[in-house]
Amino acid sequence: YRVDMRLRPWGSAGALASSFESLVAYYRHQGREWERYALIKIRAVAGDVRAGQRLIETLKPFGFRRYLDYGALASLREMKQLIEREVRQQGRYEDIKLGAGGIREIEFIVQVQQLVRGGQELALQAAHLLAVLPVLAEQGLINSAVAKELTTAYVSLRRMEHRLQAWRDQQTQLLPRAEEERARLAFTLGFTSVVECEAALSFYREQVRYQFQQVIAAPEDERNVEDS
């Protein structure tokens, strides 16, 4: 597992290892909204996994409030605006995770619903996005056709990400620039040409981008979508 250690309590200034008691105290008194968002994906991967599971259960009330948490919407809207700003300023089209219509935007669409409603709907507390999408459709929180679109896009983008990382065993989500490497990527994904591969990628990203723009949109965001 590759682990981003910057996500630990207090970031780079924090201890690399903390006791369970200090972790619980941190999230209870200092935890921020984006950390609630990050902890949706929490799972034990090493060491005493059973103890890790007990810690996860202890931390759940921090991530999933016992009521419909509409109070989180303002913070989530700010998070979305930061994502939008970053995409506009840095472009990042070659980045299939952080660029427009990428993996991060699919995760945001789903995790907004998890944070707001997960405290009351236990089925929304699943860490795996693909397990949550059908639940959102069943509960009428998103259209079933949209759930299928996002599922297909997520699986396709993740498959592409895995191929990119397997090529040189690097932590990357960047599309290659060299024609030979693009052809290799298309072949490993089952496409007959680079053009076919890139057309499919553009199609998925446009679907994701549109749905992302609809999520907790502020009035000015809605006008921007209509004008674009």
Side-chain angles (χ1 to χ4, degrees):
Y1 292 92
R2 293 179 173 95
V3 180
D4 187 346
M5 302 308 296
R6 296 171 301 174
L7 298 179
R8 66 187 186 271
W10 306 115
S12 300
L16 279 172
S18 302
S19 68
F20 285 4
E21 290 79 6
S22 64
L23 287 172
V24 171
Y26 170 83
Y27 288 115
R28 182 175 296 157
H29 301 297
Q30 306 290 337
R32 291 160 289 179
E33 210 64 41
W34 71 263
E35 289 176 304
R36 290 183 60 204
Y37 183 86
L39 286 184
I40 289 177
K41 296 281 191 179
I42 190 172
R43 60 190 175 118
V45 298
D48 189 337
V49 174
R50 289 185 179 179
Q53 283 300 129
R54 290 197 297 271
L55 174 64
I56 290 170
E57 290 301 317
T58 304
L59 293 176
K60 271 190 176 180
F62 167 69
F64 300 108
R65 306 290 161 80
R66 293 175 181 172
Y67 48 84
L68 290 178
D69 192 8
Y70 293 113
L73 291 179
S75 296
L76 290 166
R77 187 173 286 118
E78 290 178 7
M79 194 182 302
K80 179 189 174 187
Q81 289 170 347
L82 286 173
I83 294 172
E84 292 270 22
R85 192 177 306 125
E86 183 179 293
V87 168
R88 284 197 302 270
Q89 292 176 348
Q90 301 184 24
R92 286 188 165 178
Y93 184 78
E94 300 300 306
D95 192 321
I96 62 170
K97 180 176 183 179
L98 303 180
I103 294 167
R104 176 173 61 175
E105 293 187 1
I106 304 176
E107 291 175 334
F108 187 86
I109 293 167
V110 174
Q111 289 174 271
V112 162
Q113 296 287 359
Q114 289 182 278
L115 282 183
V116 174
R117 302 172 183 274
Q120 291 197 332
E121 302 291 342
L122 296 183
L124 294 180
Q125 294 185 11
H128 202 309
L129 181 145
L130 293 179
V132 177
L133 274 169
V135 177
L136 294 177
E138 289 167 10
Q139 296 185 359
L141 298 173
I142 63 174
N143 184 279
S144 58
V146 171
K148 291 179 181 177
E149 285 179 2
L150 293 176
T151 297
T152 301
Y154 184 78
V155 171
S156 300
L157 289 169
R158 281 297 192 193
R159 286 183 65 227
M160 183 172 287
E161 177 190 41
H162 296 159
R163 300 300 191 279
L164 291 171
Q165 295 184 356
W167 169 232
R168 289 195 176 96
D169 190 28
Q170 295 178 336
Q171 179 71 3
T172 181
Q173 290 88 19
L174 294 175
L175 294 170
R177 294 185 177 182
E179 189 65 25
E180 180 182 349
E181 292 184 7
R182 285 180 177 263
R184 182 185 295 111
L185 176 63
F187 175 78
T188 61
L189 290 167
F191 293 102
T192 58
S193 68
V194 172
V195 172
E196 183 184 9
C197 177
E198 294 183 347
L201 176 60
S202 295
F203 176 73
Y204 294 136
R205 295 180 76 165
E206 286 170 8
Q207 289 183 319
V208 172
R209 189 63 179 166
Y210 176 79
Q211 296 303 328
F212 175 75
Q213 290 174 330
Q214 311 310 306
V215 178
I216 55 171
E220 60 271 20
D221 295 334
E222 292 172 352
R223 287 196 296 271
N224 290 340
V225 171
E226 290 172 0
D227 294 340
S228 59

